[in-house]
Amino acid sequence: MYDYLVVGAGLYGAVFAQQAKACGKRVLVIDKRPHIAGNVYTEDIEGIKVHRYGAHIFHTNEKRVWDYVNKFAAFNRFTNSPVANYHGEIYSLPFNMYTFNRMWGVVTPEEAKAKIEEQRCAAGIEEPKNLEEQAIRLVGTDIYEKLIKGYTMKQWGRPCNELPAFIIKRLPVRFTYDNNYFNALYQGIPIGGYTAMVSNMLDGIDVMLGEDYLTDRERFNSMAEKVVYTGAIDAYFDFCEGALAYRSVRFETELLDMPNFQGNAAVNYTDAKTPWTRIIEHKWFEFGKDTDGNELPKTVISREYSSEWKPGDEPYYPVNDDENAALYAKYKALADKEEKVLFGGRLGEYKYYDMDAVILAALDMCEKELNFTACVK
């Protein structure tokens, strides 16, 4: 009946399905959830577009990706400027001159660099061997102790000196008064939410929701020539080599009868005692207004709690250590032997993906699989 069965209606699956249809292919998309859009799903609560599975701010330096998503949504001018709350002390994120001034009272970049160098030398770190040492080398001991240590331990469930150094390298550090967290040319939130954007991608494509591919894979495989699988790669192989490790996230979402809870879209709680990692106030992704530009009288917040993944939880962040890398390599070898199935996306590749990167990966897959450049631009 179909040329391609796409398992998963998230970004990777939606992009592949859209491009395949544009090439004249017959496509069926299935998802075990009752909705499309995967983890970027947004739902309407009192006129507020709520990010059910955590905050998603689109950002990219890839014009190819930016041009692609703008075919399916118009983006607002939202700039991600989170703040850190350490026992009531408020600091700017990313680490910038506002952060350094609040922490040490310094005013110039030279003063800030000198303070970091002083603490770096006192710690005696030459070649960072773990996240703790890498963080101190980047921003000094004070910022590490107040703004990194507790938050990271909550996020990953492990002491910072047991985590790899490369995790912290993604954290921006600037010696300017720039509060834009992402160093990206293009940034924003799709007006109307991500669900509407993905719905536009899937326009005219057959979609079946509430369908679990792994419980009835023979029937689904018989419906298509090839399968694009974006679910968990270890689950596909019935965990024959063991389960890959993930961090999961639990959300407590509340509708509050007030116009403003915290004054910012994202506030990170960086001390170790506060049980949640951050609070998201969703209305500020769209400047606190509805689609007609009216001020919204209520607000919706979500507290995020990080935890170790267990069966039944939603897997969020792959645990990037040597043990899991070796385990994934075994599953990748099995996947390469599958003649009919293509594996892609965050779970299919056991890889942390920003949204633009997963779209780019899907577009690259389309070019290889569909001879895309020959059939559609």
Side-chain angles (χ1 to χ4, degrees):
M1 293 176 60
Y2 298 96
D3 296 302
Y4 289 96
L5 168 70
V6 178
V7 180
L11 281 178
Y12 192 101
V15 170
F16 187 94
Q18 185 275 325
Q19 297 286 267
K21 180 179 181 292
C23 286
K25 303 298 183 182
R26 300 161 300 165
V27 185
L28 171 65
V29 177
I30 66 172
D31 200 297
K32 66 181 180 181
R33 288 173 172 171
H35 59 74
I36 62 171
N39 279 9
V40 301
Y41 174 71
T42 48
E43 59 185 333
D44 189 283
I45 299 178
E46 295 283 339
I48 300 167
K49 298 298 184 296
V50 174
H51 299 214
R52 182 189 287 185
Y53 302 97
H56 288 83
I57 299 100
F58 198 89
H59 57 98
T60 187
N61 283 311
E62 295 282 348
K63 189 174 187 301
R64 176 189 177 196
V65 172
W66 185 245
D67 289 344
Y68 178 77
V69 294
N70 273 270
K71 294 177 182 178
F72 308 102
F75 283 72
N76 66 22
R77 59 170 182 81
F78 178 80
T79 299
N80 189 29
S81 301
V83 298
N85 182 322
Y86 179 80
H87 295 302
E89 298 175 14
I90 301 299
Y91 295 89
S92 290
L93 294 175
F95 301 139
N96 61 17
M97 286 304 300
Y98 289 113
T99 317
F100 306 142
N101 175 265
R102 178 80 170 90
M103 185 69 67
W104 300 311
V106 298
V107 175
T108 68
E110 288 75 15
E111 290 174 318
K113 290 178 181 179
K115 193 68 177 179
I116 291 172
E117 182 63 23
E118 173 190 321
Q119 296 191 357
R120 180 188 298 164
C121 291
I125 298 167
E126 295 297 331
E127 293 294 330
K129 299 180 179 62
N130 53 54
L131 187 150
E132 178 177 284
E133 293 181 356
Q134 180 66 43
I136 293 172
R137 184 170 176 80
L138 279 174
V139 290
T141 306
D142 292 340
I143 290 177
Y144 166 71
E145 290 289 341
K146 282 192 173 184
L147 305 184
I148 297 175
K149 185 178 181 179
Y151 183 90
T152 304
M153 287 177 63
K154 291 187 292 187
Q155 180 78 8
W156 291 100
R158 294 157 176 79
C160 292
N161 58 11
E162 294 180 11
L163 290 167
F166 73 83
I167 292 177
I168 203 70
K169 290 181 180 179
R170 297 178 71 248
L171 194 66
V173 179
R174 301 195 184 103
F175 293 93
T176 61
Y177 291 92
D178 180 2
N179 278 334
N180 185 355
Y181 189 86
F182 298 120
N183 186 24
L185 182 59
Y186 309 106
Q187 182 177 167
I189 304 285
I191 297 171
Y194 287 99
T195 304
M197 182 182 80
V198 174
S199 179
N200 290 335
M201 290 179 177
L202 296 174
D203 183 45
I205 296 170
D206 291 343
V207 177
M208 296 172 59
L209 300 175
E211 298 285 352
D212 190 341
Y213 169 78
L214 294 180
T215 63
D216 202 6
R217 72 174 78 187
E218 287 189 16
R219 177 172 70 90
F220 283 119
N221 285 348
S222 69
M223 297 170 68
E225 294 294 323
K226 298 188 83 171
V227 175
V228 177
Y229 177 80
T230 69
I233 191 171
D234 53 354
Y236 179 90
F237 292 106
D238 298 317
F239 304 100
C240 64
E241 298 288 350
L244 290 162
Y246 288 91
R247 294 294 291 173
S248 189
V249 183
R250 177 175 62 86
F251 302 94
E252 287 183 355
T253 298
E254 292 183 66
L255 172 65
L256 302 178
D257 192 12
M258 63 173 67
N260 192 347
F261 175 75
Q262 64 186 18
N264 204 49
V267 176
N268 291 9
Y269 286 77
T270 60
D271 64 283
K273 290 185 178 180
T274 301
W276 53 83
T277 54
R278 65 178 178 175
I279 297 178
I280 300 300
E281 189 167 6
H282 300 267
K283 70 187 297 182
W284 301 123
F285 292 130
E286 296 188 347
F287 313 112
K289 299 179 180 180
D290 63 17
T291 53
D292 296 322
N294 301 312
E295 297 289 341
L296 291 162
K298 297 184 180 181
T299 194
V300 178
I301 65 168
S302 295
R303 293 180 178 87
E304 299 186 8
Y305 300 81
S306 184
S307 62
E308 200 73 15
W309 177 86
K310 61 183 183 300
D313 293 342
E314 182 65 29
Y316 278 86
Y317 305 107
V319 177
N320 298 121
D321 57 20
D322 292 341
E323 180 181 353
N324 283 285
L327 182 55
Y328 169 69
K330 293 180 181 179
Y331 283 120
K332 178 67 166 61
L334 293 174
D336 290 341
K337 296 176 183 178
E338 294 283 311
E339 295 181 359
K340 185 175 178 174
V341 183
L342 305 171
F343 293 78
R346 177 178 57 92
L347 302 178
E349 299 175 60
Y350 192 65
K351 183 177 182 179
Y352 178 83
Y353 268 126
D354 284 330
M355 285 182 287
D356 65 326
V358 79
I359 290 172
L360 188 61
L363 291 173
D364 288 343
M365 170 71 82
C366 292
E367 290 195 357
K368 295 175 186 176
E369 175 65 20
L370 302 168
N371 190 20
F372 173 77
T373 52
C375 67
V376 65
K377 291 292 184 182

